Amino acid sequence: MSDSEHYDPLTPRSPVNTDTHERKMPRGVVIRLVAYLVAGHVVAAFLFLLFTVAGKG
């Protein structure tokens, strides 16, 4: 009897090594994400300031 007779494709296999690097985001991605968030908020604040000043004029 071979193992292929008892193979069930719907049953997930338990990984041998559960400690992988996929749990943590790479450092470059985190830095880029923070930079984009800060830059996006700066642009939004500038646009808010423009519309506030133009609305009072």
Side-chain angles (χ1 to χ4, degrees), residues 8-25:
D8 183 13
L10 299 178
T11 304
R13 291 186 177 192
S14 60
V16 177
N17 187 5
T18 57
D19 189 24
T20 63
H21 285 85
E22 295 179 6
R23 291 184 192 182
K24 297 192 318 185
M25 292 176 62

Side-chain angles (χ1 to χ4, degrees), residues 23-47:
R23 291 184 192 182
K24 297 192 318 185
M25 292 176 62
R27 188 174 188 175
V29 174
V30 173
I31 293 172
R32 195 176 310 139
L33 178 66
V34 170
Y36 287 159
L37 284 173
V38 169
H41 281 84
V42 167
V43 169
F46 179 70
L47 289 174

